[in-house]
Amino acid sequence: MKKRENGLDLLKVIAAFNIVLVHTFASFLSAVTSGIREGTITHGPVAALSAAVRICMAHFGGAVPMFFMASGAFILASAKTADVKSFYHKTWKKLGIPTIIFTLIYMFLTPMYYLVAKGYGEYGYLKIFIYNLRSVVTGVPAEHMWYMFVLITLYLMAPFVVMSRERIGEKAFAKAALVLFIWGTVDMLLIEPKFWWSLGAAIDFLGIYAMGYVLHRRYEGQKNNLKGAAFILLGELLVLCVCLLYYKGYMFGEIPEFLTNVLGKPQPFNPLLTVSAGLFFTGFGLLDIKKDFGTLSGLTYYTYLVHPVFIMVINAVLTKTLGLPESTYGKLGGIGFALAETAVIYVLSMFTAFVINKAGEAKKK
């Protein structure tokens, strides 16, 4: 049995929390930014604490690339991946079926959420549903689901990537992965994919996917806490640069817009955060962590898929009963409220993932 990598398992658990955080805080921080631009919010505790939350959220920009790297590190290393028939069969069960199920869930749930909680009741459910179908077709039945469509396409490409690596050798593959990493990052910055299930979108992420394999192979078996901490510190410095650019640029307009758009947004296309993902991935892989986080790490996949369900349901109930959380948007107390909501949603999502995994294990028996 292959020994678990506790550092990378811990990184996945942290990254999953950051993803829940960014989606829970999204509307609150949009209200803060709008308040700053309208002059109702100035430099002060709300803006400063919102920027501090952005430091956590900026890790989300690196969290998605980290998940791609973690997948690439192990999928591209496995000799079984080259067995196209068997690998595709497993991919269908692991990724294909859950993606279809959750696409259907969000296809019907999202219009209901906008109808109940977002003030679009005048349009009616059917009109919102039809309007939302355009997003479904592009691979975004919910804001986070684009990741699944890109990941499926990468899995479909994986056997041929493995065959190519075996043909050209490890050194040439590492160079090719670096070129694709740079090329894909630049391309995503210039042109956001229109269809997330397209080959073009997958190729943009292929460099990140392949770099997961390259970095993991480079440091596989090595444990050095000092070196690991150094990589993590470098990653944190890049995150802080992004947050400073966001605070000064996007929030207060004190930095040129172009620079803010390229380097100051906590999104997976930000090159600073893409590089930070590689630094965090390497750093946590080098840490000699004794505690086993394998069980929690195994819950992150379905936590990612299910957490917006809880965000929508909880916010819809709070909106109809207490006028929350919208009444707290842009206010100091709203930060504490959103943090508490993030914790609740994360725990509920992890528990749901646990139940789904247990059900899957029972079905196999």
Side-chain angles (χ1 to χ4, degrees), residues 111-173:
M112 183 63 70
Y113 175 63
Y114 275 87
L115 185 72
V116 174
K118 288 293 186 178
Y120 289 89
E122 61 184 282
Y123 295 101
Y125 179 85
L126 182 60
K127 187 172 290 186
I128 300 173
F129 177 84
I130 294 172
Y131 181 84
N132 192 55
L133 283 178
R134 292 186 295 181
S135 296
V136 175
V137 171
T138 65
V140 194
E143 184 180 0
H144 68 308
M145 284 292 289
W146 67 268
Y147 168 82
M148 293 302 299
F149 288 92
V150 173
L151 187 61
I152 287 173
T153 313
L154 286 172
Y155 263 64
L156 293 175
M157 297 168 65
F160 306 100
V161 174
V162 171
M163 294 176 199
S164 299
R165 188 195 72 235
E166 292 175 350
R167 186 178 182 86
I168 66 177
E170 296 291 342
K171 289 186 177 180
F173 182 79

Side-chain angles (χ1 to χ4, degrees), residues 1 12 24 32 34 44 67 81-82 84 87 104 143 168 172 197 219-221 247 254 262 276 284 299 306 336 352 355:
M1 183 176 178
K12 289 172 68 177
T24 305
V32 173
S34 297
F67 276 116
T81 302
V84 177
F87 181 73
L104 291 172
E143 184 180 0
I168 66 177
W197 42 261
Y219 295 103
E220 188 175 13
Y247 184 77
E254 297 172 0
V262 173
S276 79
F284 275 85
L299 302 178
V306 78
T352 304
V355 172

